[in-house]
Amino acid sequence: MADGLDQIKQPIAHELETFEKRFRETLRSPVPLMDRITYYIVRRKGKQMRPMFTFFSAQACGGINDDTYTAASLIELVHTASLVHDDVVDESYERRGFFSINALWKNKIAVLVGDYFLARGLSIALATKQYRTLEISSDAVQALAEGELLQIEKARRLDIDEEIYFEVIRQKTASLIAASCAAGAASATDDEATLKRMHTFGEKIGIAFQIRDDLFDFGLDNVGKPRGIDIKEKKMTLPLIHALNRASRGERRRMIRNIKKHSDDPEKVQEVLRFVRESEGIAYAESAMLRYRDEAFELLRALPPTPARDGLEQLVNFVVERAY
């Protein structure tokens, strides 16, 4: 899969390389501790999917320019800040197989680092007068916080229905991918209809991305990720929600009791996994994921055919077909 993503990014490989250098410069601080932490973060970067969406979107909507690099940096700063803060909120001590910032430097420093990243994003947007991009990213930060609080509020009783589920993932996951696409477009054009189209496109891909994540928890193939993690963490995902909606009252009560009171019991977790697999929850979620993908393609094909549009289509397919 990594090779597939490397191939997809080839048309913008030079731009991504330049972006990485600029991003590192953006993070420079006169405080040695901050420099050490940001160096640790940058060396453990992920797949660069959000910068890819930003650069491909800019290219598809008029062309990559200097503002595109600022837009990509702003979104990446927001994304990184959200991950650092999430690890504190979730009391998580590992990120992508490495120690999290709060694990190495404790919660107080992790919160301050996340705040610093958000502040740097504000600074570079204001310095370059990218007010539209700042508005896009600020809306995403607000959505992230609201989505997290909505999930916390609803998850206590495990009564999340489909409508709430989609609202949570629209805010928590899809908002940043939507912002990546809209910010890229905003760096290349002032046309509001195009910006709105690209934002909606990114939102649909973000929702498909999260549903794919949900499906990993119930998958049968060995892809190096433990099964049942969402069940153990008492997360209501689309396959589970659908299975519970189709269950008898007694079966539903039993499964919810397993999740609430026995989520640390491997046998009870396996029982819930089997229940979802046998209740068409997986097929239902896969169908929803593909529907969002197709709706995204429909929006994308309103743009002129270009290599950049092809790149976005390939990136979309990577999102829904990825194995991890």
Side-chain angles (χ1 to χ4, degrees), residues 34-228:
M34 184 65 72
D35 259 356
R36 284 204 305 275
I37 295 171
T38 55
Y39 177 75
Y40 179 83
I41 291 172
V42 169
R43 285 198 64 189
R44 285 149 186 83
K45 63 183 175 59
K47 301 183 185 72
Q48 287 191 305
M49 289 185 65
R50 285 161 192 82
M52 288 176 69
F53 274 116
T54 300
F55 282 104
F56 273 134
S57 295
Q59 192 73 279
C61 294
I64 294 169
N65 55 52
D66 204 56
D67 286 349
T68 311
Y69 291 96
T70 305
S73 292
L74 175 54
I75 298 299
E76 195 66 4
L77 286 164
V78 169
H79 173 57
T80 307
S82 73
L83 295 181
V84 173
H85 284 161
D86 279 351
D87 287 338
V88 174
V89 170
D90 297 337
E91 297 180 342
S92 176
Y93 300 112
E94 191 174 300
R95 168 72 61 179
R96 299 193 191 104
F98 296 95
F99 285 120
S100 60
I101 301 305
N102 51 304
L104 293 173
W105 287 282
K106 308 303 178 186
N107 286 346
K108 182 176 181 179
I109 289 176
V111 170
L112 292 171
V113 168
D115 291 348
Y116 174 77
F117 275 46
L118 289 173
R120 286 298 296 136
L122 292 172
S123 295
I124 63 171
L126 291 172
T128 54
K129 297 182 172 56
Q130 291 199 45
Y131 304 122
R132 189 69 179 90
T133 302
L134 184 56
E135 181 183 6
I136 290 166
S137 61
S138 296
D139 287 345
V141 173
Q142 178 179 322
L144 285 167
E146 289 176 345
E148 187 70 49
L149 289 170
L150 179 61
Q151 184 177 50
I152 291 170
E153 178 188 13
K154 296 294 183 180
R156 288 171 181 166
R157 293 184 297 170
L158 297 183
D159 63 350
I160 294 179
D161 58 20
E162 275 196 37
E163 184 179 355
I164 295 295
Y165 165 83
F166 279 111
E167 181 61 15
V168 167
I169 67 170
R170 182 189 68 78
Q171 293 180 313
K172 277 192 64 177
T173 303
S175 60
L176 265 180
I177 296 180
S180 301
C181 298
S187 72
T189 179
D190 294 327
D191 182 60
E192 282 297 324
T194 299
L195 301 193
K196 184 176 180 180
R197 181 184 300 115
M198 294 307 296
H199 188 278
T200 305
F201 161 77
E203 192 172 86
K204 291 183 181 296
I205 294 312
I207 292 172
F209 182 98
Q210 184 58 55
I211 295 174
R212 167 55 70 193
D213 246 26
D214 291 354
L215 287 164
F216 289 145
D217 211 47
F218 302 93
L220 299 172
D221 298 331
N222 179 20
V223 295
K225 182 177 179 180
R227 301 308 177 202

Side-chain angles (χ1 to χ4, degrees), residues 1-14 16 20 45-54 56 76 96 177 205 209 310-324:
M1 263 310 190
D3 291 341
L5 196 58
D6 287 340
Q7 187 173 1
I8 293 169
K9 69 171 67 167
Q10 275 308 306
I12 54 170
H14 174 71
L16 288 172
E20 281 192 37
K45 63 183 175 59
K47 301 183 185 72
Q48 287 191 305
M49 289 185 65
R50 285 161 192 82
M52 288 176 69
F53 274 116
T54 300
F56 273 134
E76 195 66 4
R96 299 193 191 104
I177 296 180
I205 294 312
F209 182 98
D310 292 344
L312 284 170
E313 288 188 7
Q314 291 169 20
L315 200 48
V316 168
N317 281 326
F318 174 85
V319 164
V320 300
E321 294 170 4
R322 65 200 169 98
Y324 55 89

Side-chain angles (χ1 to χ4, degrees), residues 90 148 150-161 165 168 172 214 217-218 227-238 240-241 244 255-265 268-269 272-273:
D90 297 337
E148 187 70 49
L150 179 61
Q151 184 177 50
I152 291 170
E153 178 188 13
K154 296 294 183 180
R156 288 171 181 166
R157 293 184 297 170
L158 297 183
D159 63 350
I160 294 179
D161 58 20
Y165 165 83
V168 167
K172 277 192 64 177
D214 291 354
D217 211 47
F218 302 93
R227 301 308 177 202
I229 293 296
D230 290 339
I231 303 296
K232 292 173 186 175
E233 295 179 355
K234 303 178 184 179
K235 289 182 181 177
M236 296 293 281
T237 57
L238 187 57
L240 177 59
I241 291 169
L244 290 172
M255 291 304 145
I256 289 179
R257 185 168 60 250
N258 283 350
I259 298 166
K260 273 187 175 181
K261 298 184 177 180
H262 305 293
S263 61
D264 56 349
D265 183 337
K268 296 294 186 182
V269 171
V272 176
L273 292 176

